[in-house]
Amino acid sequence: DAGITQSPRHKVTETGTPVTLRCHQTENHRYMYWYRQDPGHGLRLIHYSYGVKDTDKGEVSDGYSVSRSKTEDFLLTLESATSSQTSVYFCAISEGWTGGNEQYFGPGTRLTVT
Amino acid sequence: GQSLEQPSEVTAVEGAIVQINCTYQTSGFYGLSWYQQHDGGAPTFLSYNALDGLEETGRFSSFLSRSDSYGYLLLQELQMKDSASYFCAVSHDPDNYGQNFVFGPGTRLSVLP
């Protein structure tokens, strides 16, 4: 299994509070991704990174920001959490560009915003 | 816009063959991937097609027709452990569309004894 962890695994927070989720990898892969998964929507890409300090927006980036100061860590921040951000968040990594390279997913973080 | 369609549910019996279809509408299509996800687990990669035709990996095969914007995942000799959700996903031309990687809504496969 690819060395990828997420923390926390579960979190309950209140509307309006900031939340940061962490993804840590030990594979030295260049690409890292944050997805959210909601019933009926599959996985939707929030942001991705193609190198240290190199990030870009995905399909559903509004309300989220990311940072990558080290190869191994990719942080997802909800500046002011809303109930619509209640979801399961998955981090993924890939060695190369997605087209021909499989993505390895972390175990997920279940976030509940009350 | 971009859209992918998959059947929401499929049911089959152990030992049978099942096909899960995926149709897509997207600009800058590059390739089609398939992922498996068991309840409560993380998605895991199954296969990838960039060219037309069939790719075989053990009991699983994946097919792509670029001209029809269509692909399918074929699972043979079904086992109970194959009960899971299956997602197709489209990757795009990185020069013009970045890393935008779009998943379908998923197909829940139930394998009955």
Side-chain angles (χ1 to χ4, degrees):
Chain A
D1 289 346
I4 176 168
T5 58
Q6 295 182 230
S7 59
R9 294 293 312 280
H10 302 270
K11 186 170 183 66
V12 179
T13 192
E14 294 184 349
T15 299
T17 60
V19 176
T20 295
L21 308 183
R22 180 180 184 239
C23 178
H24 179 78
Q25 61 148 329
T26 58
E27 304 296 323
N28 201 35
H29 282 358
R30 178 181 175 189
Y31 292 86
M32 299 186 75
Y33 313 83
W34 277 108
Y35 292 90
R36 61 177 290 173
Q37 185 171 34
D38 306 289
H41 288 279
L43 294 112
R44 290 181 291 176
L45 183 64
I46 304 171
H47 281 280
Y48 64 92
S49 169
Y50 47 97
V52 173
K53 297 186 179 179
D54 291 324
T55 65
D56 206 348
K57 296 178 180 179
E59 181 185 359
V60 290
S61 59
D62 288 348
Y64 302 94
S65 62
V66 291
S67 66
R68 191 171 179 197
S69 58
K70 298 185 290 185
T71 298
E72 57 266 35
D73 289 325
F74 193 33
L75 304 180
L76 177 71
T77 298
L78 291 66
E79 300 291 346
S80 177
T82 67
S83 59
S84 65
Q85 293 176 312
T86 292
S87 187
V88 178
Y89 291 85
F90 285 99
C91 175
I93 63 175
S94 67
E95 189 170 4
W97 169 64
T98 306
N101 289 272
E102 67 179 278
Q103 295 187 30
Y104 301 94
F105 284 80
T109 294
R110 184 172 295 275
L111 176 68
T112 302
V113 183
T114 61
Chain B
Q2 302 175 38
S3 68
L4 288 85
E5 292 187 5
Q6 303 178 236
S8 58
E9 295 183 15
V10 173
T11 301
V13 297
E14 227 176 344
I17 299 172
V18 71
Q19 178 174 310
I20 299 174
N21 298 322
C22 174
T23 58
Y24 58 87
Q25 289 186 319
T26 187
S27 301
F29 175 86
Y30 197 91
L32 187 71
S33 301
W34 288 91
Y35 284 79
Q36 178 193 60
Q37 185 180 29
H38 288 98
D39 286 347
T44 56
F45 175 82
L46 292 176
S47 68
Y48 172 74
N49 296 69
L51 303 175
D52 287 355
L54 192 68
E55 294 281 343
E56 298 181 66
T57 309
R59 294 189 297 115
F60 294 179
S61 302
S62 58
F63 172 83
L64 175 65
S65 169
R66 297 174 70 102
S67 60
D68 294 325
S69 298
Y70 164 75
Y72 65 73
L73 179 69
L74 190 72
L75 296 83
Q76 302 182 67
E77 301 173 17
L78 280 175
Q79 302 175 9
M80 298 295 290
K81 67 179 182 179
D82 296 330
S83 292
S85 293
Y86 293 83
F87 297 90
C88 59
V90 170
S91 52
H92 296 81
D93 172 12
D95 291 335
N96 295 302
Y97 296 89
Q99 283 285 298
N100 204 4
F101 195 67
V102 180
F103 280 82
T107 298
R108 187 173 182 86
L109 171 63
S110 298
V111 180
L112 305 178

